[in-house]
Amino acid sequence: MVFLYIILILAIVVVCLFVLSFLVYFFNLDMKLTAKLAPLFEKHYDKIDRDKHL
């Protein structure tokens, strides 16, 4: 009986993760998040000292 509950819980977790990943894919949320964070990344990247010798 405990084994069935474990299988049921695992199945629910897998389905929830699938739905979540599908929503991220469908609404392109990963690229929207990246676009929002780009100014932060650019600000940090611009502060980095670079070796200007070629």
Side-chain angles (χ1 to χ4, degrees), residues 13-46:
V13 167
V14 168
V15 168
C16 288
L17 288 174
F18 175 76
V19 169
L20 182 65
S21 66
F22 181 76
L23 289 173
V24 168
Y25 168 76
F26 187 78
F27 292 110
N28 201 20
L29 297 177
D30 53 340
M31 287 292 104
K32 289 179 182 177
L33 177 65
T34 305
K36 294 283 185 191
L37 293 177
L40 263 174
F41 294 145
E42 291 168 359
K43 185 177 171 185
H44 171 71
Y45 184 74
D46 290 341

Side-chain angles (χ1 to χ4, degrees), residues 1-8:
M1 199 68 165
V2 174
F3 182 70
L4 289 176
Y5 285 125
I6 293 172
I7 296 295
L8 180 65

